[in-house]
Amino acid sequence: MKPKNLVPLVVILVILIALVMVKKAKEPAPNIVNEVQLARLIPEGVSAPDIVKLELFAGAKPDEGVVLAWDDAASGWRVTSKYNAPVDEEKIDEYLSDLIKLGGEYRAAPETDADLEQYDLTDSRAFHVKGFVKGDDAPKFEVLVGKAPDYRTTFVRAAAGKEIYLSDVNLRQKAGIYGDDTEKAPEATPWLDKNIVDLEKDKISRIDLTYPDKSVVFEKREKEAEPEEKAGEQAEEPDEDAEEAPAPEKEKEYEWVLASGAPARSHKQTGLDSLLRKLDSLTATDVVDPGTPAEWGLEPPAFKCVVAADNLDEDVVIEAGRPDASGDGYLRLAGAEEPVVYKIPKYSFDQLFPKGRDLCDLPALSVDQKEIKRVELTQPAGDVVLTKSDGEWAVEKPRADLALQASTLDTVARTLASWQPADYAGPDADTGLDAATRRVSFIAGDVTHTIALGAPSPVTEGDYARLDDDPAALVMAKIDKDKVFVAPKDLYERSLLDIDEMDITDVTVKSGRNIYTLARRDDEWAEIAANREEGALSFEREKADAFPDDVIEEYEGAADSLTEWIADLQASDILFDGTTMQGEPFMAITFTLADGAKHEIAIGPESDGSHLLKVSGKKEMFKLDHADVETVLDELALFKAPAPEPEPATSGEGEESQQGDDGTSEAAIAPPAGEETDAAMTAVEAVPEAE
């Protein structure tokens, strides 16, 4: 046979092999029970439809389990341990199927609980699955799931026996528990039917959105037919002899229109498309207690979405609430047989109830930032006036002898130049704009623009706003509000000392009756003294041998922290009203720099969590958080004499210690034979008491 005659045979052989492989691929993968016909753990005669209740729990936490039960009235499974919420049908069907077929290969039959522990199959370590059948209050079976030796198998046993089997079904993982923590309790969330609505978006014909401050209606309408003849074109003369053919019936075309509720006549298709997609598949992340509707903003519902569709006999009505405009949302279906309140994340809520800027074009600003030369802010925190000359910003009000926060001033101008509202409100909304408490006015070129802010919006995280003389009630997002309406303290740098901590050569701190002095020589701490009510301390580098190494390290660390705190001193607020410090300061700090310059810091008594602060060379008074003062006090508390060493025994067997007049043992105060007391080596010396 010639080689070329073998080609057809080879082709046929390849085809046959491919068909066999396809057939094998379609066959279900064998499991341990079906492959080897091994023991089953569920009693004979029990089928999936017989099971009406499951209890799942970790053995260490039997009271924190999940309970699933069949509800005849609802014709479905419910999570009775989670507000009787519906169960995902696909998940429960799969779990019951795996449960009924549960079995495995025999491994061992330990006699004691200690032997079961290595498999995590003791009552207290195993994962329990109790099954109940209709008409029986006692469980029909109870299965314990233990350790998983690999990702494919797990050890199991029936609660009534101690025989251990190896199964390829892990009921613990299928209940949503992963990892080796045997005390981890199952959660209800994996079992929930989180589907809220699942509409065909192409069939939706009307959407009516109700917000706390407006209503918006979208409708799908038939497009108007375009005229057959265009202007300026000559119609053809009809042929009298030709038979008139019937005109083909044109297919109707539809389009979405913004029927009502917006300051613009047209809508943004991207925002509407996002809304339609969300209605096509609206799912929750969890359910919450339906018995407390006010907690979820549902008494009455603050939001409502009514959807009409060509394939539905009745409208779908979604009631919603969001107590926190920046938080999650909560939904329920009006008219549902059983109340279920679903929780959805913020981004999903914003797709279901889009912001005004996503629905249509709103009045906005678009000016050249370089043209802005004056900004005036009126606000409760204090009025501000900014001016620009030769491209540089200056603060006209309030004035302070401090460095400017140039980036903050640029941000104010940049935000105003391109400001766009985040939302809007209807004409009947209570916006508070007639009594605006914040207002910004700025000049760009020869044009003056004004934005006034009113009450907070219940829909969008921000405040109602009015742009110039436009009557529309808009919303300025919080992120823009924070950039524009700057607190006076944030106009200036609040770091008060432009120094390097290593340039500080000596420090004196007086706090009440306590006085601390520190001196640095050649980049190391040469002297540290403290006169404290609890005791005195005198440390000199030349006499450092009298101190334990860890104590010296503690002193040096505290001294470094103190000078670092001084160099990095930053005020929490700036007082522009001429406030002065009355009476003695709570703490006075004096320090000298390497160039001989002396500086003083005075800290007043604590009041409402802060202290008045005065720094030499600064005419303004400042505020300092109490937490910063506590930091200094904690460091100063480390400057104390070290605890004395335990005294050795002073008398041996048969000896009596002699007591001095003051009750002190003579053996305790007398120096050892051959040694003299060296006062220079004493760790604690008297320091003159503070006046």
Side-chain angles (χ1 to χ4, degrees):
M1 180 180 293
K2 295 181 180 180
K4 64 179 181 180
N5 294 330
L6 294 175
V7 174
L9 295 176
V10 173
V11 173
I12 292 172
L13 181 60
V14 171
I15 292 174
L16 290 174
I17 293 173
L19 291 173
V20 171
M21 293 178 67
V22 170
K23 183 175 182 299
K24 287 289 186 180
K26 291 183 177 180
E27 292 178 356
N31 60 44
I32 291 177
V33 176
N34 294 333
E35 187 79 359
V36 194
Q37 293 296 313
L38 301 179
R40 297 180 182 274
L41 277 76
I42 305 302
E44 291 291 338
V46 177
S47 63
D50 297 328
I51 301 174
V52 296
K53 180 180 175 182
L54 291 177
E55 293 181 0
L56 315 175
F57 59 91
K61 299 178 179 179
D63 298 331
E64 298 181 20
V66 172
V67 180
L68 312 172
W70 173 262
D71 188 334
D72 284 329
S75 297
W77 282 82
R78 291 289 185 269
V79 188
T80 59
S81 57
K82 184 82 169 181
Y83 313 119
N84 209 41
V87 173
D88 185 319
E89 291 184 10
E90 184 176 338
K91 183 172 180 65
I92 187 64
D93 288 346
E94 180 182 346
Y95 201 80
L96 290 174
S97 176
D98 289 333
L99 184 59
I100 289 299
K101 296 181 295 185
L102 183 67
E105 180 182 356
Y106 175 80
R107 275 294 181 264
E111 297 182 358
T112 65
D113 283 352
D115 296 328
L116 289 172
E117 280 190 5
Q118 61 180 313
Y119 299 97
D120 283 344
L121 281 173
T122 58
D123 285 350
S124 62
R125 294 180 64 84
F127 179 76
H128 295 242
V129 180
K130 284 186 179 181
F132 298 75
V133 296
K134 191 172 183 179
D136 197 344
D137 293 336
K140 186 70 173 179
F141 59 85
E142 182 175 359
V143 176
L144 276 63
V145 182
K147 184 178 295 183
D150 56 53
Y151 70 94
R152 295 175 300 178
T153 59
T154 186
F155 294 115
V156 294
R157 73 176 177 93
K162 293 188 177 180
E163 295 82 3
I164 296 174
Y165 300 91
L166 184 67
S167 174
D168 61 355
V169 176
N170 192 329
L171 294 175
R172 185 173 182 268
Q173 284 189 1
K174 287 181 175 290
I177 304 178
Y178 299 88
D180 299 327
D181 184 1
T182 59
E183 295 188 4
K184 187 174 183 180
E187 297 180 355
T189 304
W191 296 97
L192 298 173
D193 180 1
K194 303 183 184 74
N195 186 59
I196 304 173
V197 294
D198 189 2
L199 306 175
E200 295 183 50
K201 62 185 179 71
D202 294 335
K203 300 291 186 181
I204 298 175
S205 57
R206 177 185 171 94
I207 304 174
D208 191 336
L209 298 174
T210 301
Y211 298 76
D213 56 0
K214 60 182 173 291
S215 295
V216 183
V217 178
F218 288 97
E219 291 180 351
K220 187 189 286 185
R221 296 177 182 173
E222 184 179 352
K223 280 187 177 181
E224 294 183 4
E226 296 182 0
E228 296 183 2
E229 296 182 9
K230 295 183 179 180
E233 291 186 358
Q234 184 71 31
E236 295 183 3
E237 292 291 333
D239 186 351
E240 296 179 356
D241 298 330
E243 294 185 7
E244 186 175 347
E249 185 176 349
K250 291 186 177 180
E251 185 178 350
K252 294 182 179 180
E253 295 184 9
Y254 295 87
E255 63 180 352
W256 281 98
V257 297
L258 180 55
S260 65
R265 300 190 62 180
S266 61
H267 65 276
K268 291 182 178 179
Q269 192 61 38
T270 54
L272 178 60
D273 288 342
S274 178
L275 171 57
L276 290 169
R277 285 194 299 270
K278 184 54 61 177
L279 291 170
D280 190 87
S281 180
L282 179 60
T283 58
T285 57
D286 204 350
V287 299
V288 295
D289 187 358
T292 57
E295 185 176 350
W296 319 118
L298 293 170
E299 197 176 75
F303 298 79
K304 186 180 291 186
C305 175
V306 181
V307 185
D310 297 336
N311 61 336
L312 297 179
D313 295 331
E314 296 182 352
D315 293 347
V316 174
V317 180
I318 303 171
E319 298 176 337
R322 183 161 67 171
D324 180 359
S326 63
D328 296 327
Y330 303 91
L331 313 179
R332 69 184 178 195
L333 294 176
E337 293 183 3
E338 294 187 29
V340 180
V341 178
Y342 300 93
K343 176 182 177 181
I344 66 173
K346 179 182 184 298
Y347 67 85
S348 292
F349 193 92
D350 287 340
Q351 289 174 319
L352 182 62
F353 294 95
K355 299 289 188 294
R357 66 184 174 197
D358 299 323
L359 295 177
C360 61
D361 290 322
L362 300 174
L365 288 171
S366 180
V367 301
D368 187 348
Q369 178 184 343
K370 296 179 181 178
E371 295 294 319
I372 299 178
K373 54 189 177 183
R374 185 178 179 87
V375 178
E376 297 183 8
L377 300 175
T378 302
Q379 57 184 352
D383 296 348
V384 172
V385 178
L386 311 176
T387 59
K388 187 165 65 174
S389 178
D390 297 330
E392 297 292 333
W393 282 103
V395 178
E396 184 177 297
K397 180 182 179 182
R399 291 185 179 277
D401 186 20
L402 298 168
L404 293 179
Q405 288 271 25
S407 61
T408 300
L409 308 187
D410 286 337
T411 299
V412 172
R414 182 171 62 253
T415 305
L416 290 172
S418 58
W419 178 69
Q420 294 186 0
D423 208 344
Y424 70 93
D428 298 329
D430 184 11
T431 62
L433 287 169
D434 292 336
T437 58
R438 288 178 174 83
R439 186 183 304 272
V440 56
S441 177
F442 67 97
I443 300 173
D446 297 326
V447 180
T448 300
H449 293 284
T450 301
I451 304 174
L453 297 190
S457 165
V459 178
T460 303
E461 192 177 11
D463 294 352
Y464 288 118
R466 176 170 291 139
L467 176 59
D468 296 334
D469 296 326
D470 194 317
L474 308 172
V475 175
M476 175 179 278
K478 182 180 184 299
I479 188 172
D480 291 335
K481 172 187 170 184
D482 292 343
K483 290 177 181 178
V484 172
F485 290 90
V486 183
K489 67 177 183 179
D490 294 328
L491 299 171
Y492 297 94
E493 295 281 357
R494 283 177 277 131
S495 295
L496 304 180
L497 297 165
D498 186 16
I499 61 175
D500 188 322
E501 62 183 273
M502 295 303 296
D503 286 339
I504 299 177
T505 59
D506 61 68
V507 182
T508 299
V509 180
K510 181 178 180 181
S511 177
R513 294 178 58 84
N514 300 328
I515 297 179
Y516 307 85
T517 59
L518 299 82
R520 193 199 315 256
R521 303 289 182 269
D522 299 327
D523 293 337
E524 66 177 6
W525 294 105
E527 298 177 8
I528 298 174
N531 184 6
R532 297 159 48 94
E533 292 183 343
E534 297 86 352
L537 162 71
S538 178
F539 168 82
E540 296 181 27
R541 178 64 57 181
E542 291 80 2
K543 304 173 184 178
D545 291 344
F547 295 84
D549 291 342
D550 60 334
V551 172
I552 297 174
E553 184 177 345
E554 189 173 73
Y555 291 164
E556 292 175 334
D560 289 341
S561 297
L562 176 61
T563 52
E564 182 180 350
W565 182 90
I566 293 172
D568 296 339
L569 182 63
Q570 180 165 312
S572 60
D573 200 354
I574 306 171
L575 303 177
F576 300 98
D577 57 1
T579 300
T580 58
M581 188 182 301
Q582 304 296 325
E584 288 294 321
F586 171 77
M587 181 183 295
I589 303 175
T590 304
F591 62 95
T592 306
L593 299 179
D595 61 3
K598 290 186 177 294
H599 297 268
E600 295 179 357
I601 300 171
I603 302 173
E606 187 268 339
S607 177
D608 296 329
S610 64
H611 300 252
L612 289 179
L613 174 66
K614 179 66 177 174
V615 178
S616 58
K618 307 291 184 184
K619 65 179 182 180
E620 294 81 16
M621 189 74 73
F622 305 93
K623 279 190 175 182
L624 186 65
D625 285 338
H626 182 61
D628 288 331
V629 177
E630 285 186 320
T631 298
V632 177
L633 294 174
D634 289 343
E635 299 300 336
L636 294 175
L638 298 177
F639 296 128
K640 59 184 178 181
E645 293 290 336
E647 296 178 355
T650 58
S651 60
E653 187 177 351
E655 295 182 359
E656 295 183 2
S657 60
Q658 300 296 319
Q659 300 292 326
D661 294 338
D662 59 356
T664 304
S665 169
E666 292 183 2
I669 62 174
E675 295 186 14
E676 296 181 358
T677 303
D678 187 353
M681 298 297 290
T682 304
V684 179
E685 293 183 355
V687 178
E689 185 177 353
E691 295 180 0

